[in-house]
Amino acid sequence: EPEVTQTPSHQVTQMGQEVILRCVPISNHLYFYWYRQILGQKVEFLVSFYNNEISEKSEIFDDQFSVERPDGSNFTLKIRSTKLEDSAMYFCASSRTGPTNYGYTFGSGTRLTVV
Amino acid sequence: KNEVEQSPQNLTAQEGEFITINCSYSVGISALHWLQQHPGGGIVSLFMLSSGKKKHGRLIATINIQEKHSSLHITASHPRDSAVYICASRESYNTDKLIFGTGTRLQVFP
């Protein structure tokens, strides 16, 4: 069964450093998402991406965050200057026609630890 | 805006028991999602349903649109079913953004 692949599975970074989290969505999917889950809290939406642009973003997704689909297969989330409170599990998800019709496939997540 | 509530927060069971996890939502959006989060943190989509019932192996999901309520049932539970089960729904009609429940932590003992 097709999978959404995320790398790395775990990343430790110093506060203030830039990190890039990578995702390879399912090849015929058109809609891409990042969600995150701070330890002990609910999963929360960060951003959705369609047709090479952001279609929606949350209040969390400030200027420190950016997303990119650089080569038609990868989908990346960049955090420019990490803060301690960015420590969380980050999930990439993709959907063929939008999750209201077709549902999501989630990646297994990247656990980001900012020290 | 939609609100998603789950119960119970924690559930323990003996192997073989029938499990029910409940989810209610406040806005009648078209589809509700059930997800499973493994102890390592990864999320797997179990069901997306907008009416009636869906079955996959020992898992059954039902939804009552009028009551804005969904249930996830596990028949003949097994220790490998131990995980966090999460329901999610769209925040509103004009967004694809999902909002998530707090999750139900299930532990099944042999």
Side-chain angles (χ1 to χ4, degrees), chain A residues 6-8 10-11 19-23 34-35 46 65-66 68 75-79 86 88-92 109-112:
Chain A
Q6 287 188 245
T7 55
H10 190 185
Q11 177 143 7
V19 293
I20 297 176
L21 308 183
R22 291 185 165 79
C23 171
W34 284 100
Y35 285 80
L46 290 178
F65 290 87
S66 63
E68 199 176 35
F75 179 50
T76 61
L77 174 69
K78 183 193 291 187
I79 309 174
D86 294 327
M89 191 79 158
Y90 288 81
F91 294 101
C92 173
T110 293
R111 187 174 299 282
L112 176 65

Side-chain angles (χ1 to χ4, degrees), chain A:
Chain A
E1 192 166 326
E3 290 183 344
V4 172
T5 306
Q6 287 188 245
T7 55
S9 56
H10 190 185
Q11 177 143 7
V12 181
T13 189
Q14 294 266 348
M15 192 169 56
Q17 295 295 305
E18 175 183 284
V19 293
I20 297 176
L21 308 183
R22 291 185 165 79
C23 171
V24 179
I26 294 172
S27 60
N28 63 349
H29 284 192
L30 301 175
Y31 294 76
F32 312 108
Y33 308 84
W34 284 100
Y35 285 80
R36 80 172 185 187
Q37 185 180 34
I38 294 171
L39 189 63
Q41 297 186 21
K42 294 182 188 184
V43 178
E44 53 190 352
F45 170 81
L46 290 178
V47 66
S48 58
F49 190 87
Y50 170 70
N51 203 24
N52 281 321
E53 61 182 27
I54 290 173
S55 43
E56 193 172 358
K57 60 183 181 180
S58 71
E59 292 170 357
I60 304 164
F61 195 88
D62 62 20
D63 292 344
Q64 292 300 312
F65 290 87
S66 63
V67 289
E68 199 176 35
R69 194 140 194 264
D71 56 11
S73 61
N74 292 284
F75 179 50
T76 61
L77 174 69
K78 183 193 291 187
I79 309 174
R80 258 178 271 286
S81 177
T82 49
K83 306 184 189 71
L84 295 175
E85 54 265 35
D86 294 327
S87 295
M89 191 79 158
Y90 288 81
F91 294 101
C92 173
S94 69
S95 178
R96 196 168 76 181
T97 61
T100 53
N101 294 322
Y102 204 67
Y104 281 105
T105 302
F106 281 88
S108 53
T110 293
R111 187 174 299 282
L112 176 65
T113 304
V114 182
V115 296

